[in-house]
């Protein structure tokens, strides 16, 4: 989600360094003119050697947002972005017992990776627009993804080089309208349409026999949705109730509910609580991957479903200090993972996506903001995350034996501490437009 153009001329350059020679650099520039025309341009560069062999990543992206405000209630916005990246794929951690490793792991990997040759390249383009006029809003978007996947594997001494090109084209729109009936009750209703088109061109070349096998997939999905939300304000209490019904054409419809409560206990204290359902539909790749000797899709997949709870307190001390504390819990069921759970092929059970895994995330977040002057403030935040995932994982690559394993969620820190300093008026341009570094 691209942020709105800033009201004043703003330029930010940030650089982060981390372990494994990780570098992240971000550039941002934006301005809103007095006639209502505004823009925001961002660019990012990321590079890392990765945490083990063949796990490096390099990417850059660019995005822009242009908006025009006709009046306080009517505006038009256009956004566009481009991403390009290359990520090496080390595969699963091989078993310490070499007799339980596959032929590919022994010949193409080492003691810490399954492959020294696999990688993926990605290109993403997105375009969107929105129009808001009072209580009416109209949104439309278009995404075009072009992903290349390169893999190598060995079976019975025959080395294969596989190149797959995935093309995903998505577009959709949403119409939303809100009405106050009466003044303390705001009702919002809307409709949504989304189209997903997926194509795959695969090429599997046998080095030993010098033969090539081709693979093609062409699938699409249309999803319609309706949603309704009611925001009720009664004195110091604001209650929001909402629901959404999604109807994809290729699996069962899904209903998601949400509720939130804001209770003001005075001028300086607020209490918040919320609950929400979530679901994620299986990808067209997971559903319709064509059958080969090793793998096939699974049209019987169910959506990943989840629920989340959160409760928090916000306390201000005068106009310069604000402290927030929140506790949260999220549970995800029927997570989709590829594993040898399919029918038996010439090399054992085929790899197939199945609803195998579950996850539970609990945590607490504390944030404090101190404003020293009108142009200088500090934000200090701490997050504790307790994430657990139960997976059905491959323990013997020779027999395709699976076993349930409980482990910490990947890419999730247990402790996270952030300190931000914001200082305005570093440079002054014509007295009313400023740059922020």
């Amino acid at each position: 989600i691209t942020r709105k153009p800033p009201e004043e001329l703003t330029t930010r350059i940030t650089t982060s360094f981390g372990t494994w020679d990780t570098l992240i650099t971000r550039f941002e520039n934006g301005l809103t003119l007095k006639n209502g025309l505004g823009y925001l341009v961002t660019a990012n560069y990321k590079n890392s050697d990765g945490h083990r062999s063949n796990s490096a990543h390099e990417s850059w992206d660019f995005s822009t947002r242009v908006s025009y405000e006709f009046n306080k209630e009517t505006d038009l916005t256009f956004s566009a972005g481009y991403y390009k990246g290359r990520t090496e794929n080390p595969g699963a951690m091989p078993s310490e017992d070499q007799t339980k490793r596959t032929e590919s792991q022994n010949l193409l990997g080492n003691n810490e990776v399954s492959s020294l040759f696999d990688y993926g390249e990605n290109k993403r383009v997105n375009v969107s627009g929105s129009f808001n006029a009072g209580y009416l809003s109209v949104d439309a978007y278009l995404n075009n993804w072009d992903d290349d996947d390169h893999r190598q594997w060995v079976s019975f001494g025959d080395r294969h080089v596989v190149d797959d090109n995935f093309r995903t084209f998505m577009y959709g729109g949403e119409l939303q309208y809100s009405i106050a009936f009466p003044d303390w009750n705001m009702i919002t209703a809307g409709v949504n349409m989304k189209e997903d088109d997926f194509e795959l061109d695969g090429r599997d070349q046998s080095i030993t026999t010098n033969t090539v096998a081709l693979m093609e997939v062409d699938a699409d999905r249309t999803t319609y949705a309706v949603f309704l939300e009611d925001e009720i304000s009664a004195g110091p209490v604001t209650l929001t109730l909402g629901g959404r019904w999604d109807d994809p054409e290729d699996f069962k419809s899904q209903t998601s509910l949400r509720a939130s409560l804001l209770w003001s206990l005075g001028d300086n204290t607020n209490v918040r609580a919320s609950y929400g359902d979530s679901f994620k539909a299986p990808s067209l790749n997971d559903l319709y991957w064509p059958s080969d000797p090793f793998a096939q899709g699974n049209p019987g997949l169910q959506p990943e479903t989840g629920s989340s709870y959160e409760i928090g307190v916000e306390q201000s001390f005068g106009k310069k200090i604000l402290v927030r504390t929140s506790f949260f819990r999220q549970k995800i069921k029927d997570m989709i993972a590829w594993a040898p759970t399919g029918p038996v092929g010439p090399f054992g059970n085929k790899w197939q996506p199945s609803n195998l895994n579950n996850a539970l995330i609990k945590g607490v977040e504390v944030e404090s903001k101190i404003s020293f002057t009108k142009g200088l403030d500090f934000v200090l935040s701490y997050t504790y995350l307790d994430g657990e995932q139960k997976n059905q994982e491959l323990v013997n690559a020779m027999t395709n034996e699976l076993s349930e394993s409980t482990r910490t969620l990947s890419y999730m820190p247990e402790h996270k501490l952030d300190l931000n300093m914001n200082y305005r008026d570093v440079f002054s341009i014509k007295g009313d437009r400023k740059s922020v570094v």
Side-chain angles (χ1 to χ4, degrees):
I1 300 175
T2 307
R3 301 200 321 273
K4 293 182 178 180
E7 295 183 0
E8 299 176 338
L9 178 62
T10 301
T11 300
R12 289 189 177 94
I13 300 175
T14 61
T15 299
S16 304
F17 300 94
T19 52
W20 308 302
D21 290 332
T22 300
L23 169 67
I24 302 175
T25 300
R26 177 180 177 84
F27 170 81
E28 176 182 312
N29 177 261
L31 168 67
T32 297
L33 301 174
K34 291 183 177 180
N35 63 0
L37 179 65
Y39 76 91
L40 178 66
V41 176
T42 62
N44 297 276
Y45 174 77
K46 301 179 181 180
N47 186 64
S48 177
D49 290 342
H51 63 293
R52 52 187 174 133
S53 303
N54 199 50
S55 63
H57 170 83
E58 183 178 25
S59 66
W60 65 271
D61 64 82
F62 170 85
S63 66
T64 183
R65 173 172 177 148
V66 179
S67 62
Y68 182 75
E69 187 176 285
F70 298 91
N71 52 55
K72 291 184 178 181
E73 295 185 348
T74 307
D75 62 78
L76 180 67
T77 301
F78 172 82
S79 300
Y82 178 79
Y83 168 90
K84 182 178 181 180
R86 186 182 191 276
T87 304
E88 297 174 343
N89 181 14
M93 183 77 72
S95 171
E96 294 182 0
D97 184 353
Q98 290 194 356
T99 63
K100 295 183 178 180
R101 298 181 187 178
T102 65
E103 190 176 359
S104 288
Q105 289 175 333
N106 285 323
L107 295 178
L108 303 180
N110 58 28
N111 289 331
E112 63 176 13
V113 302
S114 292
S115 173
L116 295 168
F117 302 93
D118 296 356
Y119 64 89
E121 294 180 332
N122 313 98
K123 296 178 182 178
R124 307 286 173 87
V125 177
N126 63 83
V127 178
S128 64
S130 66
F131 174 73
N132 300 285
Y135 292 130
L136 173 69
S137 67
V138 181
D139 298 280
Y141 71 91
L142 183 152
N143 297 328
N144 188 15
W145 297 356
D146 191 333
D147 303 321
D148 293 307
D149 183 47
H150 176 86
R151 307 186 312 279
Q152 296 191 31
W153 53 272
V154 179
S155 179
F156 298 105
D158 186 7
R159 184 165 179 170
H160 290 251
V161 178
V162 181
D163 289 285
D164 293 325
N165 176 245
F166 306 89
R167 295 180 300 278
T168 307
F169 185 72
M170 299 168 285
Y171 63 90
E174 182 173 286
L175 176 67
Q176 176 179 300
Y177 187 77
S178 301
I179 184 172
F181 183 78
D183 292 342
W184 50 267
N185 188 46
M186 178 68 72
I187 299 175
T188 300
V191 295
N192 181 285
M193 188 282 291
K194 180 174 66 172
E195 175 75 18
D196 297 289
D197 295 323
F198 172 74
E199 295 180 1
L200 163 66
D201 289 324
R203 185 178 187 274
D204 182 351
Q205 179 180 4
S206 168
I207 302 299
T208 303
T209 62
N210 196 28
T211 57
V212 176
L214 301 178
M215 180 189 306
E216 292 185 0
V217 178
D218 190 352
D220 60 81
R221 171 194 294 154
T222 303
T223 303
Y224 295 98
V226 295
F227 55 90
L228 180 67
E229 180 180 274
D230 190 5
E231 182 179 296
I232 304 168
S233 299
V237 177
T238 300
L239 175 65
T240 303
L241 303 173
R244 180 184 174 99
W245 179 74
D246 288 89
D247 185 29
E249 65 176 331
D250 54 351
F251 63 93
K252 294 181 179 179
S253 60
Q254 183 79 26
T255 301
S256 302
L257 303 176
R258 64 178 294 267
S260 64
L261 176 70
L262 171 63
W263 190 354
S264 178
L265 302 180
D267 296 336
N268 300 323
T269 307
N270 292 322
V271 176
R272 301 177 184 270
S274 65
Y275 167 83
D277 294 328
S278 64
F279 89 104
K280 178 183 178 183
S283 70
L284 296 175
N285 184 339
D286 292 336
L287 291 170
Y288 304 118
W289 185 276
S291 180
D292 61 34
F294 304 95
Q296 69 177 45
N298 184 359
L301 285 172
Q302 298 300 312
E304 298 180 359
T305 60
S307 59
S308 61
Y309 308 82
E310 182 173 350
I311 184 169
V313 178
E314 180 180 288
Q315 178 72 47
S316 60
F317 301 90
K319 296 182 178 180
K320 294 188 176 182
I321 300 177
L322 176 66
V323 179
R324 298 188 183 99
T325 302
S326 60
F327 302 87
F328 52 88
R329 183 182 186 273
Q330 181 183 19
K331 186 176 183 180
I332 307 173
K333 299 188 300 181
D334 296 327
M335 295 175 66
I336 297 171
W338 282 77
T341 57
V344 177
F347 304 104
N349 288 83
K350 294 184 180 182
W351 282 70
Q352 185 180 50
S354 301
N355 297 101
L356 293 176
N357 302 336
N358 300 292
L360 177 63
I361 304 171
K362 298 176 290 184
V364 58
E365 183 176 37
V366 180
E367 178 183 299
S368 61
K369 179 179 179 181
I370 303 175
S371 300
F372 290 96
T373 66
K374 185 178 179 180
L376 176 65
D377 58 65
F378 284 87
V379 179
L380 176 65
S381 63
Y382 166 76
T383 304
Y384 169 74
L385 290 167
D386 179 14
E388 180 180 274
Q389 183 168 325
K390 291 185 177 180
N391 301 341
Q392 292 289 333
E393 298 183 350
L394 186 67
V395 295
N396 190 329
M398 299 302 296
T399 62
N400 285 338
E401 178 186 354
L402 295 175
S403 177
E404 184 175 282
S405 175
T406 301
R407 62 177 71 247
T408 302
L409 276 171
S410 301
Y411 309 111
M412 190 193 74
E414 183 178 4
H415 303 278
K416 183 181 179 183
L417 184 68
D418 290 298
L419 174 63
N420 297 306
M421 182 185 74
N422 300 307
Y423 181 49
R424 293 165 288 278
D425 295 338
V426 176
F427 302 106
S428 180
I429 301 178
K430 295 183 179 180
D432 59 348
R433 295 174 187 166
K434 305 171 180 68
S435 179
V436 179
V437 177

